[in-house]
Amino acid sequence: MGKFSFVLTLVFYLCLLYLNYPKPNMGGDNAMGYGLGLSFFGLGISLGSIGLFFYLSRLGVFGMLTPDPFWRNFLAVILCIAFVITVFFSAALKWDNITEAVSFSPWLANMNSLIWFPLLIFIPSFLVLFLGKEPSFAPVRIFFYIGFLFSLVFTVGLLVDWLVYQSKQQKEIISQIQTQDKEQYETYMREIEGLDSTQSILGILPLTGRYHDAEVREAAVEKIKSRPDWESELIGILVSEYNYHYAYDFFDGNMVDHPALFTEPVRLSILQMAADIRSTIRDSNNLQEWSFDHFGIERLLRVLDGQLSGLGMDFYPAILEVRKALDTAPPDRFKGVKYSVTSVLDNWIKKNAR
């Protein structure tokens, strides 16, 4: 078993060496072929090394380092993993443009360790397996010690580089998100500040929702309420044919001065929503689970249960029309599509059942 594992590991190593020298063509299909070859030969080395290190452990090679059987076998596993990692990444990193790693990986890639490092394990293994030398034989012991030491050093170095790289990537991602958030915040604030009396408030209504950034939301709400006729503008949007649902963003979390003025416009907007859903289902060429999420039905229902409740308007029939509209027969290719808003409406209808 030991000799077979040695030959198997050596053959796959030579194939990996042949794959890597001279420099492979990294363009197009050749790059894919190189990657597959690297993976296949790396797997072969891994399987062969398991058998080789297991047999070396039985011969007492690792007894030079510790006499305890448990720790001897544990050490064999660790050093086998370290050996495979070092050989594989000596090949994988050789022709890679390593710009992200901190220090160790470029050094490992440029020192041609794939050529000389495996010999530190292969030479003493050959002496032990084929020439019958004892593990205590000086050349065998020295080669193994050096090989094991390099395996651990290379593996730890690669691990440190990987951890530092991940930390660097995480910091870059956080920095990008913060930059994007800042740019988006500045864009929103410019839009709010730049809104003059000749422009509709429709453009900044989405910024007034309860889950928006607090500073942006407060600025948008303040801008809207600075207009003397802002409630009339909201009513005009509610009774419009296409934009009514944008007003739900404002109502959800922002109080109006005269809520009774909005009960009928909201009811009419709900009926308009039902009509829009029916026509969309009949004529749509892309019905999906999320198709009607943009109507803001959850926000609407919070408004009905919140500042518009107890004002004498019965919204139940209008909401029931929206629910019935969702049952409109779709084109055959969309039969079976379930809309995410259906369960939201069902829960509200059940809670407010007549």
Side-chain angles (χ1 to χ4, degrees):
M1 176 184 173
K3 293 180 180 180
F4 173 77
S5 297
F6 175 86
V7 172
L8 181 67
T9 307
L10 182 62
V11 168
F12 278 107
Y13 161 70
L14 292 174
C15 291
L16 191 63
L17 195 65
Y18 176 78
L19 182 70
N20 254 43
Y21 292 91
K23 181 178 180 179
N25 185 348
M26 296 296 192
D29 293 339
N30 291 321
M32 182 177 292
Y34 174 76
L36 291 174
L38 195 67
S39 301
F40 178 74
F41 296 142
L43 178 62
I45 291 174
S46 300
L47 296 176
S49 297
I50 292 172
L52 175 62
F53 276 70
F54 174 76
Y55 196 77
L56 291 175
S57 178
R58 289 182 56 187
L59 292 178
V61 168
F62 301 100
M64 302 182 297
L65 303 173
T66 174
D68 186 270
F70 171 80
W71 290 110
R72 186 168 62 241
N73 292 331
F74 179 78
L75 187 61
V77 172
I78 296 299
L79 292 175
C80 177
I81 294 173
F83 172 74
V84 172
I85 288 175
T86 303
V87 173
F88 178 80
F89 283 100
S90 292
L93 297 176
K94 175 59 184 174
W95 306 112
D96 195 6
N97 182 22
I98 307 169
T99 57
E100 305 290 349
V102 176
S103 59
F104 191 86
S105 297
W107 178 76
L108 175 63
N110 293 326
M111 67 186 301
N112 291 312
S113 55
L114 181 62
I115 296 177
W116 59 266
F117 165 73
L119 298 179
L120 297 174
I121 301 298
F122 287 141
I123 289 176
S125 297
F126 179 81
L127 293 175
V128 170
L129 295 173
F130 291 89
L131 299 184
K133 299 296 182 180
E134 294 295 326
S136 57
F137 182 53
V140 169
R141 188 173 67 254
I142 292 172
F143 268 103
F144 271 136
Y145 281 162
I146 296 175
F148 295 154
L149 178 62
F150 269 108
S151 296
L152 292 174
V153 170
F154 286 171
T155 301
V156 171
L158 288 169
L159 177 60
V160 170
D161 262 8
W162 182 81
L163 291 174
V164 174
Y165 169 73
Q166 292 298 317
S167 176
K168 183 179 178 182
Q169 287 289 96
Q170 188 67 27
K171 290 179 180 177
E172 289 179 354
I173 292 173
I174 293 173
S175 177
Q176 290 175 1
I177 293 174
Q178 290 175 339
T179 300
Q180 291 172 357
D181 288 345
K182 182 180 178 181
E183 291 175 350
Q184 189 66 76
Y185 167 82
E186 292 174 349
T187 299
Y188 288 151
M189 296 303 284
R190 283 195 301 269
E191 290 178 2
I192 295 170
E193 186 178 352
L195 189 72
D196 60 40
S197 59
T198 65
Q199 296 173 303
S200 170
I201 62 173
L202 182 64
I204 65 171
L205 280 178
L207 306 181
T208 63
R210 69 164 64 196
Y211 298 117
H212 219 290
D213 177 80
E215 191 172 348
V216 172
R217 179 174 62 81
E218 291 171 4
V221 172
E222 183 179 355
K223 188 72 172 183
I224 290 173
K225 289 189 174 184
S226 67
R227 300 190 179 204
D229 59 346
W230 64 274
E231 287 189 320
S232 296
E233 289 189 66
L234 275 175
I235 290 173
I237 291 171
L238 276 171
V239 298
S240 66
E241 187 174 357
Y242 302 108
N243 299 319
Y244 52 88
H245 51 86
Y246 289 107
Y248 301 156
D249 286 301
F250 184 90
F251 286 116
D252 182 27
N254 301 294
M255 301 298 292
V256 294
D257 295 339
H258 307 91
L261 296 177
F262 293 89
T263 54
E264 180 61 15
V266 168
R267 189 186 72 84
L268 293 175
S269 75
I270 298 172
L271 295 176
Q272 180 63 51
M273 182 192 299
D276 289 344
I277 289 174
R278 288 191 182 92
S279 62
T280 298
I281 292 176
R282 285 194 297 263
D283 303 331
S284 177
N285 56 9
N286 185 30
L287 286 176
Q288 302 290 338
E289 179 185 2
W290 38 260
S291 290
F292 302 108
D293 289 355
H294 70 281
F295 283 120
I297 291 177
E298 289 186 74
R299 295 190 291 274
L300 168 65
L301 297 179
R302 284 196 295 266
V303 173
L304 301 186
D305 293 335
Q307 63 177 309
L308 295 187
S309 65
L311 297 178
M313 176 61 70
D314 183 7
F315 295 103
Y316 184 86
I319 293 295
L320 202 59
E321 286 300 311
V322 174
R323 180 61 184 88
K324 292 177 181 177
L326 290 171
D327 290 332
T328 302
D332 290 342
R333 63 185 180 279
F334 297 121
K335 283 186 177 179
V337 174
K338 304 295 183 183
Y339 312 117
S340 57
V341 297
T342 301
S343 59
V344 177
L345 284 167
D346 285 341
N347 290 335
W348 190 90
I349 292 171
K350 182 178 179 180
K351 180 181 175 182
N352 295 273
R354 297 289 183 266

